[in-house]
Amino acid sequence: MVSEQDPRVRRWGAVCEAVALLLGPYAEVVLHDPDTDRVLAIWNPLTARAPGDPSALGDLDRLDPSGRDVYGPYEKLLADGRRLSSVSAVLREDDERPSAVLCVNLDRTPLERAAAVLSAFGAPTTPRPEPLFEQDWSQRIAHAIGAHVRASGRPVERFTRADRLTVLRELEQARVFTVRRAAPVVAEALRVSRSTVYGLLTELRR
């Protein structure tokens, strides 16, 4: 919805349209007349506003001069409850007189929905059913090492000797090493040699 008769719209319209195309359909771009406090043009309107409608901008002289003519992002609410993140910029003529005010209003609804989905996926899980895993010794190895990575904040490549002993102690208590092929799998998962695993096990059992 554009009024192309005004020279300010012809001057700034391409910029406004570019921003609307980049952020659309979730952002409305509005060009205001600070002298008449009316909408000059609007791209991708989020409400029923149209050129000529009141802008309700207020007095530009009361704005903080340290803002350097760009203000925001600040929050706005629509009547239907949608939250907007908004930025306003005062566009000036060569003589520094305010020519127009450009406002970009971004609808936060898609972002909030995406955040809700991610939060749901990241929610705490229930304890795993141990009877299903008690015979899965390879899963026990992965779980023990992965849990220690998270607890220590160190990747496997940076495990200390004490870290490896802690993991092996847990696996020994879970009787993982009664499985004949377990030690090579543990060595590979810990990124060490089999002899290192056997040596640490001997120390633990001693």
Side-chain angles (χ1 to χ4, degrees), residues 6-200:
D6 193 289
R8 290 167 294 183
V9 177
R10 292 197 297 270
R11 180 178 183 183
W12 302 106
V15 175
C16 297
E17 184 176 2
V19 174
L21 287 172
L22 178 64
L23 300 178
Y26 305 114
E28 112 180 324
V29 181
V30 190
L31 200 61
H32 300 277
D33 184 342
D35 295 327
T36 64
D37 199 22
R38 296 281 176 176
V39 173
L40 282 172
I42 185 168
W43 291 259
N44 188 36
L46 297 179
T47 63
R49 284 193 300 178
D53 286 348
S55 295
L57 283 178
D59 190 354
L60 292 182
D61 292 336
R62 296 175 59 191
L63 290 174
D64 180 3
S66 65
R68 296 186 180 180
D69 289 342
V70 179
Y71 303 89
Y74 52 88
E75 184 178 288
K76 293 168 64 176
L77 284 175
L78 297 181
D80 59 10
R82 282 180 293 173
R83 295 171 60 206
L84 307 178
S85 288
S86 301
V87 175
S88 296
V90 179
L91 309 179
R92 297 182 181 274
E93 298 287 359
D94 293 339
D95 61 2
E96 296 300 315
R97 181 176 57 85
S99 173
V101 177
L102 169 64
C103 292
V104 181
N105 302 310
L106 179 67
D107 184 358
R108 296 176 55 87
T109 304
L111 299 175
E112 292 172 346
R113 289 174 178 168
V117 171
L118 293 174
S119 296
F121 276 114
T125 57
T126 59
R128 69 176 187 171
E130 290 299 332
L132 294 179
F133 294 93
E134 60 185 8
Q135 301 301 322
D136 189 349
W137 57 272
S138 61
Q139 175 61 36
R140 282 189 174 274
I141 293 171
H143 186 271
I145 296 174
H148 194 75
V149 167
R150 295 180 65 86
S152 66
R154 288 185 293 277
V156 175
E157 295 82 359
R158 293 177 53 198
F159 270 13
T160 64
R161 182 172 175 277
D163 291 326
R164 297 187 185 107
L165 283 170
T166 299
V167 171
L168 292 179
R169 183 178 296 108
E170 179 178 340
L171 295 176
E172 175 77 344
Q173 292 172 350
R175 300 182 59 79
V176 167
F177 292 105
T178 60
V179 179
R180 191 163 62 92
R181 305 183 308 278
V185 175
V186 172
E188 183 178 359
L190 287 175
R191 315 286 174 84
V192 296
S193 65
R194 297 183 189 182
S195 60
T196 297
V197 169
Y198 290 131
L200 292 173

